[in-house]
């Protein structure tokens, strides 16, 4: 059965869209949305994707034969787990692959370092995901039938079970998997990840201390079995938090030596920098190992000969030998995909849409392109932590941010249609009002409170707050300090679309007397700046599609989450609706009932949008561009749904017919560790 329904219907089991929630009626409904989605796909069962089993025989990429013969590598069956993860050929759009060749990525980010346990990223765009594997997996869920959508897919954890009252989650690791240097992967890595990193408040790990399941503790049972014990009942939803980028262990056999708890000569800076960006190779669990990094130029990765996955004929994955990440810009990613010099782009830069689409329609074009639903959105984050600054101006400013009428005024001052047209002419952009992106399985427009463009209302609300242009310079003065209302707004200058929206927002807010001072921070320093709460306001991409993904970036789930409302020494100076947001988030992780989840998601959507927790700007669909010589890139893969497409497409299954393979830069080699 072909199913081109909007993905939103997947979870909408038994939902009535009437806006009757809590007896409210939504004053301004969202304008009608025109979908551009054209993805076609078959829905399949979870086990149709992959299983775990021992196969009668295994095969490896032919060039590895010589390395086994010379004794540099053990035979393939000894490198694989007893029961490897088996990718089923039936779920592959082009079937069992051919070994070899190069996959060329182009990215705008730069590797910060390889210590993923200390929160470092590797430059995004799929390079993080090529090297790390996580306990469970979310990306490929776009293809799973609605009735089997209970929690994430297995990965390093091949199975898990709950006790009767859902307070204990026992997980079973793949047995006998190995790091790319041959070291065993087991619960020593799990305990190091969770106890020595996640639970260590001095380390900025991707799950913050006590945030997972309201503060789970870990018990190791044996080499391959461990248990989380939760303070309150949970559900399979909480397990989603163990997918990329949160539940991904690092090599304890390397990192322990740099960790202050294990080595008194080390401090936390030493630990953070234990695996610097240029020091490769490093041991990974991912399909490819970084073996060369030329800063600002290229990262080369070679196949991981210990990778724990095979296809259903016993061929060890990945099929592709070498992966490149050219280090240029995000716009260049699309340009190169369209030109055929790169193999992949999540075409998420609306400025390129028209031209790229035109070119990809040509039958000789090297790429094909199909739009998915709108899951890319942008927003302004206002810093609400008034008790975290001593500066009187900043205090007054944050005080204003905390006033609902001020946030409403900002929203009324923004002409989202104009912002959208500044990004790209045409039907691409649709207003975003905060809350879930419209392509999210949790989105229902009936619960979105729209605060549309209306300059008069904006001015009226600002006047109501005592903001007046007392010195006639066109900028409102603040009632307390008397100073001009100037908002420093930070953004990533390398992101063309962020910059265009910044320009539009700056001039639109000027029209109601608010001066925006755009401030740039490069992508590598951006997250540390944001996590430290070191900003007044930020304009950036939102990507709020699932409440369980990057929860800390969006919702008040712990003292350091979200970064735009950190807790001060006396706790968080909560806004009235924030406690309910916290409660909804934990109620969602405590239920697997789709109807109940939808109800909670609707309540969340309404709270987020009527309170303008963030000021949404616009949302656009994105198209995935993949070079036509690459096989098994399923045409239904969304750019972003449960996870980015680099995860959702299952790259370890991608392959290129031998006669179309590109020449490898480092043929015949694998990572060599000192
Ligand atoms: C960046 C890119 C996205 C995607 C992700 C993957 O954020 O903008 O398109 O490639 O990295 O992590």
């Amino acid at each position: 059965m072909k199913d081109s329904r909007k993905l939103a219907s997947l979870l909408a089991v038994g939902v009535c869209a009437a806006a009757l929630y809590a007896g409210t009626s939504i004053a301004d409904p969202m304008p009608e949305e025109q979908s551009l989605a054209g993805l076609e796909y078959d829905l399949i069962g979870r086990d149709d994707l992959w299983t775990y089993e021992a196969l009668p025989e295994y095969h490896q990429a032919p060039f590895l034969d010589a390395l086994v013969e010379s004794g540099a590598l053990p035979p393939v069956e000894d490198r694989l787990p007893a029961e490897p993860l088996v990718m089923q050929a039936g779920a592959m759009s082009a079937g069992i692959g051919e070994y070899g060749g190069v996959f060329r990525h182009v990215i705008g980010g730069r590797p910060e370092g390889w210590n993923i346990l200390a929160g470092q990223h590797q430059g995004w765009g799929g390079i993080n995901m090529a090297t790390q594997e996580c306990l469970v997996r979310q990306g490929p869920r776009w293809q799973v039938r609605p009735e089997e959508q209970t929690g994430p897919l297995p990965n390093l954890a091949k199975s898990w079970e709950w006790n009767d009252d859902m307070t204990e989650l026992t997980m079973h690791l793949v047995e006998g998997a190995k790091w790319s240097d041959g070291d065993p992967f087991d619960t020593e890595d799990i305990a190091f990840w969770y106890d020595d990193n996640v639970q260590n408040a001095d380390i900025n790990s991707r799950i913050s201390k006590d945030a997972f399941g309201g503060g789970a503790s870990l018990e190791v049972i044996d080499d391959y079995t461990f248990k989380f014990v939760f303070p309150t009942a949970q559900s399979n939803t909480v397990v989603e938090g163990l997918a990329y980028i949160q539940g991904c262990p690092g090599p304890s056999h390397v990192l322990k030596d740099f960790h202050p708890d294990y080595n008194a000569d080390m401090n936390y800076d030493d630990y953070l920098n234990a695996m610097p960006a240029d020091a490769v190779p490093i041991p990974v669990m991912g399909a490819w190992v970084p073996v060369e990094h030329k800063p600002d130029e290229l990262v080369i990765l070679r196949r991981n000969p210990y990778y724990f996955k095979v296809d259903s004929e016993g061929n060890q994955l990945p099929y592709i030998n070498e992966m490149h990440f050219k280090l240029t810009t995000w716009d260049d990613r699309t340009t190169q995909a369209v030109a055929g010099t790169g193999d992949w782009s999540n075409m998420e830069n609306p400025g390129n849409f028209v031209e790229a689409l035109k070119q990809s329609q040509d039958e000789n074009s090297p790429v094909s392109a199909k739009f998915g639903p709108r899951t890319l959105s942008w927003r302004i984050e206002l810093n609400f932590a008034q008790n975290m600054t001593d500066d009187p101006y900043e205090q007054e400013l944050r005080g204003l941010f905390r006033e609902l009428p001020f946030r409403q005024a900002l929203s009324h001052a923004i002409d989202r249609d104009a912002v959208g047209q500044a990004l790209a002419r045409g039907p691409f952009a649709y207003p975003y009002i905060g809350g879930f992106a419209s392509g999210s399985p949790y989105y229902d427009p009936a619960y979105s409170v729209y605060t549309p463009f209306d300059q008069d209302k904006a001015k009226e609300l600002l006047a109501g707050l005592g903001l007046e242009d007392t010195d006639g310079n066109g900028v409102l003065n603040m009632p307390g300090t008397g100073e001009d209302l100037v908002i420093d707004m930070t953004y990533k200058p390398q992101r063309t679309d962020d910059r265009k929206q910044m320009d539009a927002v700056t001039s639109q807010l000027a029209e109601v007397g608010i001066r925006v001072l755009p401030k740039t921070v490069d992508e590598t320093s951006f997250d540390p700046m944001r996590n430290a709460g070191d900003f007044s306001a930020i304009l950036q991409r939102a990507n709020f599609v699932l409440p369980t993904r990057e929860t800390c970036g969006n919702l008040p789930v712990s003292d350091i989450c979200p970064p735009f409302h950190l807790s001060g020494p006396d706790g968080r100076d909560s806004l009235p609706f924030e406690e309910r947001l916290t409660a909804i988030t934990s109620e969602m992780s405590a239920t697997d009932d789709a109807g109940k989840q939808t109800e909670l998601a609707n309540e969340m959507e309404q709270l987020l949008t009527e309170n303008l927790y963030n000021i949404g700007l616009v949302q656009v669909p994105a198209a995935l561009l993949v070079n036509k010589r690459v096989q098994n890139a399923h045409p239904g893969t969304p750019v972003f749904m449960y996870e980015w497409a680099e995860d959702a497409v299952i790259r370890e299954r991608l392959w290129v017919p031998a006669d179309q393979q590109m020449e490898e830069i480092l043929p015949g080699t694998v990572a060599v560790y000192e």
Side-chain angles (χ1 to χ4, degrees):
M1 175 194 69
K2 281 277 176 233
D3 192 333
S4 54
R5 284 172 308 167
K6 206 170 156 233
L7 281 167
S9 59
L10 289 186
L11 288 184
V13 185
V15 186
C16 160
L20 290 175
Y21 161 68
T24 53
S25 64
I26 307 281
D28 276 300
M30 293 297 288
E32 200 168 321
E33 181 177 3
Q34 185 194 343
S35 171
L36 302 176
L39 302 181
E40 294 201 346
Y41 50 91
D42 297 316
L43 293 175
I44 59 179
R46 298 163 75 94
D47 292 346
D48 295 333
L49 279 166
W50 60 81
T51 53
Y52 297 80
E53 60 195 298
L55 298 181
E57 52 182 279
Y58 297 105
H59 314 281
Q60 63 187 359
F63 86 85
L64 296 179
D65 293 348
L67 295 172
V68 173
E69 231 154 85
S70 73
L73 285 177
V76 63
E77 53 277 8
D78 296 344
R79 302 195 308 266
L80 286 166
E83 293 182 333
L85 184 156
V86 182
M87 291 280 174
Q88 299 297 327
M92 303 183 191
S93 54
I96 299 285
E98 295 173 32
Y99 278 120
V102 180
F103 192 93
R104 302 161 305 166
H105 277 288
V106 175
I107 60 175
R110 299 291 180 271
E112 186 186 342
W114 302 100
N115 190 352
I116 55 172
L117 294 188
Q120 287 186 321
H121 72 76
Q122 291 73 55
W124 310 112
I127 178 165
N128 297 5
M129 294 169 189
T131 58
Q132 59 189 283
E133 295 279 332
C134 313
L135 287 168
V136 297
R137 191 166 185 178
Q138 284 279 84
R141 277 179 68 186
W142 62 270
Q143 209 185 353
V144 174
R145 287 189 202 108
E147 60 274 24
E148 292 189 37
Q149 288 287 3
T150 43
L153 299 163
N155 195 46
L156 288 171
K158 64 176 180 189
S159 62
W160 52 91
E161 70 264 346
W162 291 90
N163 66 348
D164 286 345
D165 57 7
M166 302 296 281
T167 53
E168 293 186 13
L169 168 71
T170 304
M171 300 192 98
H172 306 275
L173 295 176
V174 185
E175 295 186 20
K178 296 185 173 65
W179 292 92
S180 56
D181 60 358
D183 195 83
F185 167 74
D186 51 30
T187 43
E188 188 186 346
D189 297 303
I190 299 298
F192 182 65
W193 157 69
Y194 195 76
D195 289 336
D196 300 323
N197 287 273
V198 174
Q199 295 305 350
N200 185 328
D202 292 317
I203 295 173
N204 207 349
S205 60
R206 295 276 169 183
I207 307 182
S208 59
K209 182 168 161 45
D210 298 329
F212 178 60
S217 58
L218 177 82
E219 280 175 28
V220 168
I221 296 167
D222 60 35
D223 283 355
Y224 301 112
T225 320
F226 61 93
K227 176 158 104 174
F228 287 111
V229 179
F230 299 94
T232 54
Q234 303 292 317
S235 76
N236 277 308
T237 310
V238 77
V239 193
E240 293 182 4
L242 301 176
Y244 174 84
I245 188 172
Q246 303 193 132
C248 322
S252 62
H253 62 290
V254 175
L255 285 171
K256 268 188 185 172
D257 289 344
F258 296 87
H259 192 294
D261 286 354
Y262 293 85
N263 184 341
D265 295 337
M266 296 287 164
N267 61 35
Y268 285 104
D269 271 343
D270 300 325
Y271 183 62
L272 177 67
N273 298 312
M275 295 172 128
D278 50 2
V280 290
I282 44 121
V284 301
M285 288 303 291
W288 294 275
V289 188
V291 292
E292 218 173 294
H293 174 198
K294 300 185 189 142
D296 283 330
E297 209 179 302
L298 180 68
V299 182
I300 305 176
L301 297 90
R302 294 286 300 169
R303 65 177 313 116
N304 170 1
Y306 289 90
Y307 197 51
F308 66 105
K309 304 184 185 179
V310 299
D311 68 22
S312 41
E313 291 182 3
N315 302 302
Q316 188 186 31
L317 296 173
Y319 292 124
I320 291 177
N321 281 343
E322 193 169 290
M323 190 172 261
H324 296 172
F325 286 85
K326 292 186 222 174
L327 308 176
T328 63
T329 66
W330 295 112
D331 283 339
D332 191 42
R333 174 168 71 167
T334 296
T335 308
Q336 294 217 32
V338 171
T341 52
D343 292 324
W344 176 283
S345 182
N346 300 343
M347 191 172 66
E348 60 190 7
N349 25 10
N352 293 345
F353 281 4
V354 173
E355 192 49 36
L357 278 180
K358 223 170 40 201
Q359 294 192 25
S360 66
Q361 298 313 310
D362 187 313
E363 66 176 64
N364 295 322
S365 159
V367 284
S368 58
K370 274 215 176 73
F371 273 114
R374 288 189 178 82
T375 49
L376 298 176
S377 54
W378 284 264
R379 71 185 185 196
I380 297 171
E381 298 171 3
L382 303 170
N383 197 330
F384 298 126
Q386 196 177 15
N387 63 1
M388 292 282 282
T389 172
D390 295 331
D391 178 62
Y393 177 83
E394 190 64 24
Q395 270 178 355
E396 186 173 14
L397 187 66
R398 292 186 190 184
L400 280 174
F401 292 166
R402 295 168 59 85
E403 300 280 350
L404 178 57
F406 186 79
R407 303 195 296 279
Q408 287 168 327
L410 288 181
S411 186
H412 280 309
I414 290 169
D415 179 354
R416 293 175 173 81
D417 292 336
V419 176
Q421 293 305 308
L423 274 187
R425 295 203 173 275
F428 303 109
Y430 174 74
Y432 177 57
I433 194 69
F436 295 105
S438 85
S440 160
Y442 292 102
Y443 174 72
D444 182 341
Y447 296 89
S448 285
V449 181
Y450 191 38
T451 310
F453 182 48
D454 186 337
Q455 282 186 339
D456 291 339
K457 262 197 199 162
K459 288 180 186 160
E460 204 179 291
L461 286 162
L462 293 168
L465 290 163
L467 289 155
E468 222 183 298
D469 180 11
T470 50
D471 50 10
N473 69 350
V475 182
L476 297 171
N477 294 81
M478 314 246 274
T481 52
E483 293 196 45
D484 278 350
L485 173 50
V486 181
I487 305 178
D488 282 352
M489 206 176 283
T490 309
Y491 74 106
K492 299 172 184 163
Q494 299 93 334
R495 298 265 181 182
T496 313
D497 307 293
D498 299 22
R499 197 171 62 221
K500 285 184 183 161
Q501 293 183 68
M502 193 68 187
D503 290 347
V505 164
T506 305
S507 63
Q508 291 175 6
L509 292 186
E511 288 181 31
V512 299
I514 299 176
R515 189 149 163 240
V516 172
L517 263 192
K519 267 181 76 174
T520 60
V521 170
D522 71 79
E523 265 194 274
T524 308
S525 323
F526 199 91
D527 284 354
M529 173 281 301
R530 180 172 179 260
N531 291 337
D534 199 6
F535 61 90
S536 299
I538 280 177
L539 187 158
Q540 68 163 347
R541 226 168 40 194
N543 299 335
F544 190 57
V545 174
L546 301 182
T548 47
R549 188 181 177 280
E550 293 184 17
T551 311
C552 177
N554 294 300
L555 294 163
V557 289
S558 88
D559 283 354
I560 57 166
C561 316
F564 53 86
H565 199 175
L566 299 181
S567 300
D570 307 323
R572 193 196 310 278
D573 46 1
S574 284
L575 299 169
F577 56 93
E578 281 186 299
E579 277 167 24
R580 184 61 199 140
L581 281 179
T582 312
I584 296 176
T585 314
S586 51
E587 282 170 40
M588 284 185 92
S589 69
T591 181
D592 282 330
D593 179 322
K596 179 78 187 149
Q597 286 215 350
T598 306
E599 211 176 280
L600 290 164
N602 291 342
E603 188 188 347
M604 184 179 274
E605 172 76 10
Q606 183 160 348
L607 280 180
L608 289 170
T609 57
E610 78 189 353
N611 290 297
L612 295 148
Y613 198 36
N614 300 120
I615 313 295
L617 296 170
V618 294
Q619 49 189 334
V620 300
L624 184 58
L625 306 184
V626 189
N627 192 290
K628 286 178 183 164
R629 71 183 215 299
V630 176
Q631 306 298 303
N632 274 353
H634 196 297
T637 314
V639 166
F640 185 83
M641 178 53 58
Y642 289 90
E643 192 38 85
W644 286 105
E646 291 92 338
D647 182 43
V649 83
I650 316 182
R651 281 176 302 175
E652 57 270 35
R653 294 186 323 193
L654 298 181
W655 58 278
V656 177
D659 60 349
Q660 294 175 51
Q661 289 175 3
M662 312 242 134
E663 223 172 290
E664 299 166 35
I665 296 183
L666 299 168
T669 64
V670 294
V672 177
Y673 298 88
E674 303 286 302

